[in-house]
Short mmCIF file of all heavy atoms in Angstrom, two decimals:
data_model
loop_
_atom_site.label_atom_id
_atom_site.label_comp_id
_atom_site.label_asym_id
_atom_site.label_seq_id
_atom_site.Cartn_x
_atom_site.Cartn_y
_atom_site.Cartn_z
N ASN A 1411 77.00 17.01 66.83
CA ASN A 1411 77.91 18.11 67.13
C ASN A 1411 79.34 17.74 66.76
O ASN A 1411 80.10 18.54 66.25
CB ASN A 1411 77.86 18.45 68.62
CG ASN A 1411 76.89 19.56 68.94
OD1 ASN A 1411 77.23 20.72 68.79
ND2 ASN A 1411 75.69 19.20 69.35
N LEU A 1412 79.68 16.47 67.05
CA LEU A 1412 81.06 16.03 66.86
C LEU A 1412 81.40 15.73 65.40
O LEU A 1412 82.53 15.85 64.98
CB LEU A 1412 81.33 14.79 67.72
CG LEU A 1412 81.98 15.04 69.08
CD1 LEU A 1412 81.16 16.02 69.89
CD2 LEU A 1412 82.11 13.74 69.85
N THR A 1413 80.38 15.28 64.64
CA THR A 1413 80.68 14.85 63.27
C THR A 1413 80.52 15.97 62.25
O THR A 1413 80.98 15.85 61.12
CB THR A 1413 79.77 13.69 62.84
OG1 THR A 1413 78.41 14.07 63.05
CG2 THR A 1413 80.07 12.44 63.63
N LEU A 1414 79.89 17.07 62.66
CA LEU A 1414 79.60 18.15 61.71
C LEU A 1414 80.86 18.65 61.00
O LEU A 1414 80.93 18.70 59.77
CB LEU A 1414 78.93 19.31 62.45
CG LEU A 1414 78.27 20.37 61.59
CD1 LEU A 1414 77.04 19.79 60.92
CD2 LEU A 1414 77.88 21.56 62.43
N GLY A 1415 81.87 19.03 61.81
CA GLY A 1415 83.11 19.54 61.22
C GLY A 1415 83.82 18.51 60.36
O GLY A 1415 84.15 18.76 59.20
N PRO A 1416 84.08 17.30 60.91
CA PRO A 1416 84.77 16.27 60.10
C PRO A 1416 84.06 15.99 58.78
O PRO A 1416 84.72 15.83 57.75
CB PRO A 1416 84.74 15.04 61.02
CG PRO A 1416 84.76 15.61 62.39
CD PRO A 1416 83.97 16.89 62.32
N VAL A 1417 82.72 15.94 58.78
CA VAL A 1417 82.01 15.62 57.54
C VAL A 1417 82.04 16.79 56.56
O VAL A 1417 82.33 16.61 55.38
CB VAL A 1417 80.54 15.21 57.85
CG1 VAL A 1417 79.73 15.15 56.56
CG2 VAL A 1417 80.52 13.86 58.54
N TRP A 1418 81.79 18.00 57.06
CA TRP A 1418 81.63 19.13 56.14
C TRP A 1418 82.93 19.83 55.81
O TRP A 1418 83.08 20.40 54.75
CB TRP A 1418 80.61 20.13 56.69
CG TRP A 1418 79.24 19.58 56.60
CD1 TRP A 1418 78.60 18.80 57.54
CD2 TRP A 1418 78.34 19.67 55.50
NE1 TRP A 1418 77.38 18.42 57.08
CE2 TRP A 1418 77.17 18.94 55.85
CE3 TRP A 1418 78.39 20.32 54.26
CZ2 TRP A 1418 76.08 18.84 54.98
CZ3 TRP A 1418 77.30 20.21 53.42
CH2 TRP A 1418 76.16 19.48 53.78
N VAL A 1419 83.87 19.83 56.77
CA VAL A 1419 85.12 20.55 56.52
C VAL A 1419 86.22 19.59 56.08
O VAL A 1419 86.92 19.85 55.11
CB VAL A 1419 85.55 21.33 57.78
CG1 VAL A 1419 86.84 22.09 57.53
CG2 VAL A 1419 84.44 22.28 58.21
N LEU A 1420 86.36 18.46 56.79
CA LEU A 1420 87.41 17.51 56.44
C LEU A 1420 86.95 16.49 55.42
O LEU A 1420 87.72 15.64 54.98
CB LEU A 1420 87.90 16.78 57.70
CG LEU A 1420 88.42 17.68 58.83
CD1 LEU A 1420 88.89 16.84 60.01
CD2 LEU A 1420 89.53 18.59 58.34
N LYS A 1421 85.66 16.55 55.05
CA LYS A 1421 85.08 15.67 54.02
C LYS A 1421 85.24 14.20 54.35
O LYS A 1421 85.47 13.37 53.48
CB LYS A 1421 85.72 15.95 52.63
CG LYS A 1421 85.78 17.42 52.25
CD LYS A 1421 84.42 17.98 51.93
CE LYS A 1421 84.52 19.46 51.54
NZ LYS A 1421 83.26 20.15 51.69
N GLN A 1422 85.16 13.85 55.63
CA GLN A 1422 85.14 12.43 55.99
C GLN A 1422 83.75 11.86 55.71
O GLN A 1422 82.77 12.59 55.63
CB GLN A 1422 85.44 12.26 57.49
CG GLN A 1422 86.85 12.64 57.88
CD GLN A 1422 87.07 12.53 59.38
OE1 GLN A 1422 86.19 12.11 60.11
NE2 GLN A 1422 88.25 12.94 59.83
N SER A 1423 83.67 10.52 55.60
CA SER A 1423 82.36 9.89 55.43
C SER A 1423 81.65 9.90 56.79
O SER A 1423 82.29 9.99 57.84
CB SER A 1423 82.51 8.47 54.94
OG SER A 1423 83.04 7.67 55.97
N ALA A 1427 83.47 9.47 60.41
CA ALA A 1427 83.37 10.55 61.39
C ALA A 1427 82.71 10.06 62.68
O ALA A 1427 83.14 10.42 63.78
CB ALA A 1427 82.57 11.72 60.79
N ARG A 1463 84.53 17.93 70.56
CA ARG A 1463 84.20 18.48 69.25
C ARG A 1463 85.44 19.06 68.57
O ARG A 1463 85.66 18.86 67.38
CB ARG A 1463 83.13 19.57 69.40
CG ARG A 1463 82.76 20.22 68.07
CD ARG A 1463 81.65 21.24 68.21
NE ARG A 1463 82.09 22.43 68.91
CZ ARG A 1463 81.30 23.47 69.17
NH1 ARG A 1463 80.03 23.43 68.83
NH2 ARG A 1463 81.76 24.53 69.81
N CYS A 1466 87.90 16.23 67.46
CA CYS A 1466 87.50 15.47 66.27
C CYS A 1466 88.06 16.09 64.99
O CYS A 1466 88.13 15.43 63.96
CB CYS A 1466 85.99 15.41 66.16
SG CYS A 1466 85.28 14.15 67.21
N MET A 1467 88.43 17.37 65.06
CA MET A 1467 88.98 18.02 63.87
C MET A 1467 90.48 17.77 63.75
O MET A 1467 91.12 18.30 62.85
CB MET A 1467 88.71 19.53 63.92
CG MET A 1467 87.27 19.92 63.80
SD MET A 1467 86.58 19.50 62.19
CE MET A 1467 87.49 20.62 61.13
#
Side-chain angles (χ1 to χ4, degrees):
Chain A
N1411 266 278
L1412 264 55
T1413 54
L1414 194 70
V1417 168
W1418 288 88
V1419 181
L1420 303 181
K1421 312 289 180 201
Q1422 293 177 4
S1423 71
R1463 179 177 70 181
C1466 279
M1467 293 295 293

